[in-house]
Amino acid sequence: METALDRFLRYARLDTTSDETTGTTPSSQGQWALARLLRDEMAALGLQKVLLDEHCYAYGLIPASADHQPTIALIAHLDTVAAVPGRAFNPSVKRYTGDPLVLNEALGLTLSEADFPALAKFRGQDLVVTDGTTVLGADDKAGIAQIMTLAERLMEDATIPHGDIWLVFTPDEEIGSGADLLDLDRISADFAYTVDGGALQIISYETFNAASATVRIKGRNIHPGSAKGKMKNAVTIAMRFHSLLPEREVPEQTEGYEGFYHLSKIAGEEEEASLSYILRDHDADKLEEKKQRMLQAAEEINRQHGAGTALVSLRDSYRNMGEIITRYPQVMDRAKRAIASCGMTPETVPIRGGTDGARLSFRGLPCPNLGTGGENAHGIYEFLPVQALQKMVEVLIEIVRA
Ligand SMILES: [Zn+2]
């Protein structure tokens, strides 16, 4: 039997960074290497219906060992986020004693409780860490390693009763298109879980409702020396537009179920300016209010500066999967029971973002998200406690157990 740690280190050394600029699926060639490796490993473990399709989705089936059980899919993503420029992935395992843990001596980088107080609970444990030049990619290769370790356990141990279990490894989650081409007819699962979160006791079934807004401001440029009463400076009008939005409803001042307006880009000169926003709220009605507020701000600008000065275009991105998952309480109950039977107290925490599970839930496959144990995702301080990496395999066994 190979440990989840051995698997994780093998997967984490591959560069599977996704690339939102290519417009292809998969978005980067590196994801093929991991997908092929997983296809071969699934075949070697004796899984059935193993397939790597033309879009870089890898599938494998662990056949049922008990009758009349639901078909469950376990899903993890192949890609890692492009948030850090480094591409030479060099994970290592280090014992955390409570003293700052050196990631990279030459660069003077350490992982410390001063910066990350949550580290305190991992004193005395082994952590998988980066060398300070890349992300670790526990998001989501920890999930892949856990699912593959589960597969080996189930294939070798006939005493654990379970229904059909599909493994699905998907590309490009980090650029928001991981669920698009997943073949639901192939797996015909009753429900699924993405294994793609943080702490093991947390189950997430709610995401934001999401929209984006682009605001175009039309100005009128005149030589500044003779501009009085004539110039309409699109840049300052853009700033005024932004000042009409609630100052505190921004990502850096909100948490939990609080939604926000996030100004992500601003560009312009006197003649023309544009503002790009993302709008987020777990509550669909409140997201609607935020969209209205954008339109009202444009009306106010147009009252002050003339019709057609500000034009808002709104676009819906994704919806809160909570409205789907709550119709299938057994899916959440199953995960809660599994977590409790492994000695933890299950918690539900709303995701302040989206997941592949949201798209899948709306496509008809209810799919909450489970933890992997990974911490500090999307940066060089990402780390993975070995204990949690292994414990999640036990949780997965309880989830699939008949
Ligand atoms: Zn992820």
Side-chain angles (χ1 to χ4, degrees), residues 77 79 139-140 173-174 196-197 378:
H77 63 89
D79 64 318
D139 174 8
D140 188 21
E173 190 272 349
E174 297 290 0
D196 188 19
H378 293 201

PDB file of all heavy atoms in Angstrom, residues 77 79 139-140 173-174 196-197 378, ligand 1:
ATOM      1  N   HIS A  77      -9.469  18.346  -8.729  1.00  0.00           N
ATOM      2  CA  HIS A  77      -8.975  18.985  -9.950  1.00  0.00           C
ATOM      3  C   HIS A  77      -7.464  18.858 -10.126  1.00  0.00           C
ATOM      4  O   HIS A  77      -6.699  18.889  -9.168  1.00  0.00           O
ATOM      5  CB  HIS A  77      -9.448  20.434 -10.077  1.00  0.00           C
ATOM      6  CG  HIS A  77      -8.998  21.392  -9.020  1.00  0.00           C
ATOM      7  ND1 HIS A  77      -7.821  22.101  -9.101  1.00  0.00           N
ATOM      8  CD2 HIS A  77      -9.579  21.803  -7.873  1.00  0.00           C
ATOM      9  CE1 HIS A  77      -7.706  22.902  -8.056  1.00  0.00           C
ATOM     10  NE2 HIS A  77      -8.756  22.745  -7.282  1.00  0.00           N
ATOM     11  N   ASP A  79      -5.451  20.864 -11.980  1.00  0.00           N
ATOM     12  CA  ASP A  79      -4.647  22.077 -12.150  1.00  0.00           C
ATOM     13  C   ASP A  79      -4.343  22.750 -10.822  1.00  0.00           C
ATOM     14  O   ASP A  79      -5.018  22.521  -9.817  1.00  0.00           O
ATOM     15  CB  ASP A  79      -5.369  23.079 -13.072  1.00  0.00           C
ATOM     16  CG  ASP A  79      -6.684  23.571 -12.482  1.00  0.00           C
ATOM     17  OD1 ASP A  79      -7.437  22.759 -11.913  1.00  0.00           O
ATOM     18  OD2 ASP A  79      -6.950  24.787 -12.573  1.00  0.00           O
ATOM     19  N   ASP A 139      -4.003  22.245  -2.985  1.00  0.00           N
ATOM     20  CA  ASP A 139      -5.221  22.612  -3.721  1.00  0.00           C
ATOM     21  C   ASP A 139      -4.961  22.345  -5.198  1.00  0.00           C
ATOM     22  O   ASP A 139      -4.394  23.180  -5.874  1.00  0.00           O
ATOM     23  CB  ASP A 139      -5.542  24.081  -3.461  1.00  0.00           C
ATOM     24  CG  ASP A 139      -6.708  24.594  -4.292  1.00  0.00           C
ATOM     25  OD1 ASP A 139      -7.361  23.781  -4.961  1.00  0.00           O
ATOM     26  OD2 ASP A 139      -6.933  25.812  -4.289  1.00  0.00           O
ATOM     27  N   ASP A 140      -5.229  21.177  -5.750  1.00  0.00           N
ATOM     28  CA  ASP A 140      -6.077  20.198  -5.136  1.00  0.00           C
ATOM     29  C   ASP A 140      -5.439  18.799  -5.203  1.00  0.00           C
ATOM     30  O   ASP A 140      -6.123  17.794  -5.195  1.00  0.00           O
ATOM     31  CB  ASP A 140      -7.423  20.222  -5.868  1.00  0.00           C
ATOM     32  CG  ASP A 140      -8.480  19.361  -5.193  1.00  0.00           C
ATOM     33  OD1 ASP A 140      -8.329  19.079  -4.003  1.00  0.00           O
ATOM     34  OD2 ASP A 140      -9.421  18.962  -5.879  1.00  0.00           O
ATOM     35  N   GLU A 173     -10.018  23.884 -12.935  1.00  0.00           N
ATOM     36  CA  GLU A 173     -10.937  24.415 -11.914  1.00  0.00           C
ATOM     37  C   GLU A 173     -10.564  25.836 -11.556  1.00  0.00           C
ATOM     38  O   GLU A 173     -11.426  26.682 -11.332  1.00  0.00           O
ATOM     39  CB  GLU A 173     -10.889  23.522 -10.665  1.00  0.00           C
ATOM     40  CG  GLU A 173     -11.968  23.831  -9.635  1.00  0.00           C
ATOM     41  CD  GLU A 173     -11.604  24.898  -8.616  1.00  0.00           C
ATOM     42  OE1 GLU A 173     -10.426  25.304  -8.541  1.00  0.00           O
ATOM     43  OE2 GLU A 173     -12.499  25.360  -7.893  1.00  0.00           O
ATOM     44  N   GLU A 174      -9.260  26.107 -11.483  1.00  0.00           N
ATOM     45  CA  GLU A 174      -8.818  27.412 -10.982  1.00  0.00           C
ATOM     46  C   GLU A 174      -9.155  28.558 -11.941  1.00  0.00           C
ATOM     47  O   GLU A 174      -9.119  29.718 -11.560  1.00  0.00           O
ATOM     48  CB  GLU A 174      -7.306  27.403 -10.715  1.00  0.00           C
ATOM     49  CG  GLU A 174      -6.874  26.413  -9.637  1.00  0.00           C
ATOM     50  CD  GLU A 174      -7.312  26.797  -8.237  1.00  0.00           C
ATOM     51  OE1 GLU A 174      -7.971  27.845  -8.064  1.00  0.00           O
ATOM     52  OE2 GLU A 174      -6.996  26.034  -7.306  1.00  0.00           O
ATOM     53  N   ASP A 196     -11.807  19.333  -2.088  1.00  0.00           N
ATOM     54  CA  ASP A 196     -11.090  20.512  -2.595  1.00  0.00           C
ATOM     55  C   ASP A 196     -11.135  21.672  -1.598  1.00  0.00           C
ATOM     56  O   ASP A 196     -10.991  22.830  -1.986  1.00  0.00           O
ATOM     57  CB  ASP A 196     -11.751  20.926  -3.932  1.00  0.00           C
ATOM     58  CG  ASP A 196     -10.971  22.010  -4.660  1.00  0.00           C
ATOM     59  OD1 ASP A 196      -9.778  22.186  -4.361  1.00  0.00           O
ATOM     60  OD2 ASP A 196     -11.577  22.688  -5.515  1.00  0.00           O
ATOM     61  N   GLY A 197     -11.350  21.359  -0.312  1.00  0.00           N
ATOM     62  CA  GLY A 197     -11.458  22.441   0.663  1.00  0.00           C
ATOM     63  C   GLY A 197     -10.287  22.470   1.618  1.00  0.00           C
ATOM     64  O   GLY A 197      -9.208  21.946   1.322  1.00  0.00           O
ATOM     65  N   HIS A 378      -3.113  28.989  -2.577  1.00  0.00           N
ATOM     66  CA  HIS A 378      -2.879  30.036  -3.584  1.00  0.00           C
ATOM     67  C   HIS A 378      -1.703  30.947  -3.269  1.00  0.00           C
ATOM     68  O   HIS A 378      -1.638  32.078  -3.761  1.00  0.00           O
ATOM     69  CB  HIS A 378      -4.142  30.885  -3.850  1.00  0.00           C
ATOM     70  CG  HIS A 378      -5.249  30.106  -4.500  1.00  0.00           C
ATOM     71  ND1 HIS A 378      -6.276  30.703  -5.191  1.00  0.00           N
ATOM     72  CD2 HIS A 378      -5.470  28.781  -4.581  1.00  0.00           C
ATOM     73  CE1 HIS A 378      -7.101  29.761  -5.657  1.00  0.00           C
ATOM     74  NE2 HIS A 378      -6.613  28.598  -5.284  1.00  0.00           N
TER      75      HIS A 378
HETATM   76 ZN    ZN B   1      -9.170  23.863  -5.564  1.00  0.00          ZN
END
